[in-house]
Amino acid sequence: MRCPFLIGERLYLRAPDPSEVDDLIRWVTHPDVRRHLSRTAPLTRAEEEAWLRGLDTRRDVVLVLVLREGERAIGCVGLHGLGGPDRNAELGISIGEPDAWGQGYGSEAIVLMLDHAFRELNLHRVHLHVKATNPRAIACYERLGFVREGVRREVHWQDGAWVDGVLMSILDREWGARPQAAPRA
């Protein structure tokens, strides 16, 4: 393992490396990934490099998902907007490698991040926003304990139609009440 930060059963999470810019761009611009994101313009290498350089680790924890077997990076997960008296953050995740979809890696990464958020960062609430056209993600979040808070009606334009956004969150006490702890190495 190369510089692991959080270690799970099948993957570990580590800081992104500047040498991975091409992978990061490829993941975010893949048509099947991009349709679930809000980005509509192409992403340039300069933009992605500037984003990496500009990450403020006091406000954002962005980590790369790496398969333990084979040491292959497959996506990113992050907690954004840390800090402040409300102890909230926004979760974002993207699995960029198509052959890693549907394998449970996203769930494992989210468990690691939520465990870190609530146990290490002492957050009170983690929230997210997901397009209503992404039922697999919504089901994953619900399995992990996220609760639907509401709907932002027709907030996204996707494939020639307006799409709702679903707001979801999980609180520290809800995470702590889960019967299953985060996987450990």
Side-chain angles (χ1 to χ4, degrees):
M1 283 187 274
R2 191 177 99 203
C3 301
F5 183 70
L6 301 172
I7 302 171
E9 185 178 314
R10 300 179 303 148
L11 55 82
Y12 67 93
L13 308 180
R14 62 164 170 74
D17 187 284
S19 69
E20 296 172 309
V21 167
D22 290 332
D23 286 335
L24 297 170
I25 293 169
R26 184 172 47 83
W27 295 337
V28 172
T29 58
H30 188 288
D32 291 330
V33 173
R34 191 180 72 236
R35 73 182 327 266
H36 297 298
L37 304 175
S38 296
R39 185 166 186 92
T40 56
L43 179 65
T44 68
R45 183 176 186 76
E47 287 174 314
E48 189 68 3
E49 287 172 340
W51 177 76
L52 270 177
R53 278 192 311 274
L55 279 176
D56 180 351
T57 56
R58 294 167 299 180
R59 304 243 338 122
D60 299 287
V61 175
V62 175
L63 301 170
V64 172
L65 286 66
V66 181
L67 299 179
R68 290 179 67 170
E69 184 176 320
E71 290 286 319
R72 184 170 67 112
I74 61 167
C76 286
V77 63
L79 291 169
H80 306 281
L82 297 168
D86 297 328
R87 296 180 15 234
N88 284 251
E90 183 172 4
L91 177 75
I93 185 166
S94 179
I95 307 294
E97 295 295 341
D99 65 338
W101 297 342
Q103 306 293 316
Y105 297 125
S107 295
E108 185 174 341
I110 293 168
V111 166
L112 290 167
M113 286 299 276
L114 290 177
D115 203 49
H116 180 65
F118 295 124
R119 294 181 189 206
E120 302 291 328
L121 300 177
N122 194 31
L123 294 183
H124 172 66
R125 179 178 179 275
V126 174
H127 60 273
L128 59 87
H129 175 215
V130 60
K131 289 181 180 178
T133 54
N134 194 349
R136 283 180 44 200
I138 292 169
C140 169
Y141 299 136
E142 288 178 333
R143 273 193 314 274
L144 293 174
F146 281 84
V147 174
R148 291 182 196 221
E149 293 185 332
V151 173
R152 294 175 63 202
R153 298 179 315 136
E154 298 183 0
V155 69
H156 301 286
W157 180 253
Q158 178 181 323
D159 300 330
W162 290 106
V163 173
D164 292 345
V166 179
L167 302 171
M168 304 179 81
S169 71
I170 187 167
L171 304 176
D172 53 356
R173 66 178 171 269
E174 295 165 340
W175 182 251
R178 288 183 78 239
Q180 193 174 25
R184 295 283 183 217

